[in-house]
Amino acid sequence: MNIWDSVILGAVQGLTEFLPISSSGHLVIVEHVLSLKFNDLTFEVVVHFGTFLSILFVFGGDVLHVILGFFRGIFSRNIVKNFSYDSDFRLSVFIIAGSVPAGLVGIFLKEPIEQIFHSINLVGIMLMVTGLILFLTRLVYVREKRVSFFRAILIGIAQAFAILPGISRSGITISTGLFSGLSREEAVRFSFLLSLPAIFGANIVELSDMESSSIQGNFLSFFVGFLVAFVTGYIAIKLLIMMIKSGRFSWFSYYCLILGMLVLLFL
């Protein structure tokens, strides 16, 4: 893998990980069109770590409050009472609950899904599904409800479907949040906080199979990929927040629908 491969793959990962256009689907398309292989597990861990840090860079304050709230809650004398009064502890419980569906899918369905992961036709179809979901958010009457246990589980189930290439994790979780009545800001905030355990857990699994010698031989390429993924991930998060606040979240649907049709017609 050369420097330009690292730049391209790092940018694709960083931008599409958070914009609602499916990172997994775009990586399959890039591999298919440009004959670039994103099959180096070590490089994958490195760029995922870059995007993980970009979330912490934007939502670091929220993450710290959630972590402190969790420990404050579990070590309190009355956990039930603390759950009622401590919003940070409550949010930490909702994040844990919402992470369960994706965790179960990753454990029990990982191998069957990996067998179809590089199907370009599946990517085209799932991109169009993502586009349709995003488009339907135009019909949502935005309310100001907060995250509840039921909504956390619902959004968590939606996140589990994002294991399919072409289904955008951020797209389907934010859309589900909007459909369930969350405000725009609450939907995007919970979506990104919920993504942290999923990304962190995936990296831990991948680390067990990672070869440290691979980093030593490709340090510059890996560092460039990490840096590009971090910077583009940060830009993507900021852009997405801006689009949601301005009520333009559904604009991404046109991109997904058009790209999905092009994939089915020409690839």
Side-chain angles (χ1 to χ4, degrees):
M1 179 178 292
N2 59 44
I3 297 296
W4 287 112
D5 290 347
S6 300
V7 170
I8 293 172
L9 294 173
V12 170
Q13 176 65 34
L15 289 172
T16 61
E17 178 75 22
F18 303 124
L19 295 181
I21 54 178
S22 177
S23 61
S24 59
H26 276 74
L27 289 172
V28 174
I29 294 171
V30 168
E31 287 185 4
H32 191 85
V33 174
L34 301 181
S35 298
L36 289 177
K37 293 299 180 183
F38 195 68
N39 55 4
D40 190 321
L41 183 60
T42 308
F43 183 79
E44 187 174 344
V45 170
V46 168
V47 293
H48 272 140
F49 184 62
T51 54
F52 180 83
L53 286 183
S54 66
I55 301 178
L56 293 181
F57 201 77
V58 177
F59 292 96
D62 292 308
V63 172
L64 180 60
H65 287 150
V66 168
I67 292 174
L68 293 176
F70 173 75
F71 286 107
R72 188 167 58 241
I74 62 174
F75 290 117
S76 64
R77 294 182 177 180
N78 191 328
I79 295 179
V80 175
K81 182 179 180 180
N82 194 274
F83 181 83
S84 300
Y85 289 100
D86 190 333
S87 61
D88 291 329
F89 176 49
R90 196 160 56 245
L91 181 57
S92 71
V93 173
F94 294 156
I95 291 172
I96 294 171
S99 300
V100 171
L104 293 176
V105 169
I107 293 172
F108 295 108
L109 297 178
K110 186 174 184 290
E111 290 186 5
I113 290 174
E114 282 182 344
Q115 294 175 3
I116 62 172
F117 194 81
H118 293 282
S119 169
I120 196 70
N121 288 332
L122 176 65
V123 169
I125 294 171
M126 292 299 105
L127 278 170
M128 295 185 70
V129 171
T130 295
L132 178 60
I133 292 171
L134 296 177
F135 184 80
L136 290 176
T137 61
R138 294 170 61 93
L139 307 178
V140 172
Y141 175 73
V142 178
R143 289 171 283 178
E144 299 295 326
K145 293 185 177 180
R146 308 287 293 180
V147 178
S148 64
F149 187 82
F150 171 75
R151 292 187 182 91
I153 293 295
L154 196 63
I155 296 171
I157 293 173
Q159 178 173 252
F161 280 99
I163 196 170
L164 293 170
I167 296 292
S168 165
R169 193 211 63 80
S170 63
I172 196 170
T173 53
I174 293 173
S175 296
T176 303
L178 294 174
F179 293 144
S180 70
L182 297 184
S183 67
R184 293 190 181 104
E185 291 78 8
E186 188 74 1
V188 70
R189 175 172 172 259
F190 187 73
S191 170
F192 279 109
L193 291 177
L194 185 64
S195 74
L196 287 172
I199 297 174
F200 183 76
N203 275 1
I204 292 298
V205 172
E206 291 166 350
L207 277 172
S208 63
D209 299 322
M210 190 178 79
E211 298 180 8
S212 59
S213 58
S214 180
I215 295 181
Q216 297 173 2
N218 301 277
F219 177 80
L220 183 58
S221 294
F222 284 7
F223 177 75
V224 169
F226 161 80
L227 190 61
V228 172
F230 171 76
V231 172
T232 55
Y234 175 82
I235 294 171
I237 294 172
K238 287 294 188 178
L239 176 61
L240 180 59
I241 293 173
M242 181 185 71
M243 294 287 282
I244 289 178
K245 286 184 176 179
S246 63
R248 298 171 183 172
F249 181 61
S250 64
W251 284 18
F252 291 103
S253 66
Y254 302 113
Y255 175 84
C256 291
L257 290 168
I258 292 172
L259 181 60
M261 286 189 287
L262 290 175
V263 167
L264 292 175
L265 289 174
F266 299 108
L267 298 183

